[in-house]
Amino acid sequence: MTKQSPEMYPSAAIYSGPLAEPISSSDRNAHQFRTVIKEVCKNVGVNFAGYYTIVEWGCGMECGEMAMVDRRSGRVHLADIPNAISGFYGLRYSKDSRLLIVNAYLLDPYDGYYALGWSAPAAYVWNEKHQRFDLVEKVKD
């Protein structure tokens, strides 16, 4: 269980202007995933921290990868997001908060099953000033 909640890290007002297309050249790894990033952004609006779209896709068996697109400018963040391209097990986030829970599915109890333990859940907060995620809690098993 995490001690963090979305209300602890509110975002600025929710952006409601025109949504910028993702610019895959803005991140050194984004070109590898440009098709999925572009396709998701066509159908998903702002869903994180007031003006970002988090794009999720599968990376194989029971894991996911992600990118984050600034919908005002089109800038893509991928290379510096924790576990973004090395895989994670579920995310939790909301459009009115800067909180991102990585490996969130490991927080849910599943009777009769156990987590593989390859990565613990962790809570990060988007730091707009420094354009990075700051770790605020690593959840212990």
Side-chain angles (χ1 to χ4, degrees), residues 1-131:
M1 189 67 159
T2 178
K3 297 174 186 168
Q4 310 305 311
S5 68
E7 299 80 24
M8 295 168 68
Y9 307 97
S11 64
I14 308 300
Y15 177 70
S16 61
L19 299 175
E21 295 289 321
I23 302 169
S24 60
S25 62
S26 61
D27 182 281
R28 67 183 180 269
N29 292 319
H31 70 280
Q32 299 173 61
F33 309 105
R34 65 185 175 274
T35 301
V36 69
I37 292 169
K38 184 177 179 180
E39 288 301 312
V40 170
C41 282
K42 281 183 185 176
N43 300 310
V44 177
V46 171
N47 64 9
F48 177 69
Y51 48 85
Y52 291 96
T53 298
I54 287 188
V55 177
E56 298 180 64
W57 63 93
C59 65
M61 207 164 100
E62 294 188 14
C63 75
E65 294 178 340
M66 69 170 284
M68 187 172 79
V69 180
D70 184 327
R71 298 314 296 271
R72 301 166 307 166
S73 69
R75 181 169 183 227
V76 177
H77 299 269
L78 177 72
D80 299 323
I81 297 175
N83 297 51
I85 53 178
S86 61
F88 57 82
Y89 192 55
L91 298 173
R92 289 190 187 145
Y93 53 87
S94 66
K95 67 181 174 182
D96 55 356
S97 177
R98 297 175 295 116
L99 179 67
L100 174 72
I101 307 292
V102 177
N103 296 317
Y105 294 163
L106 299 176
L107 296 170
D108 299 331
Y110 293 101
D111 292 338
Y113 296 91
Y114 64 93
L116 297 177
W118 50 271
S119 190
Y124 296 88
V125 173
W126 177 246
N127 182 323
E128 186 66 30
K129 180 179 179 182
H130 297 289
Q131 295 285 288

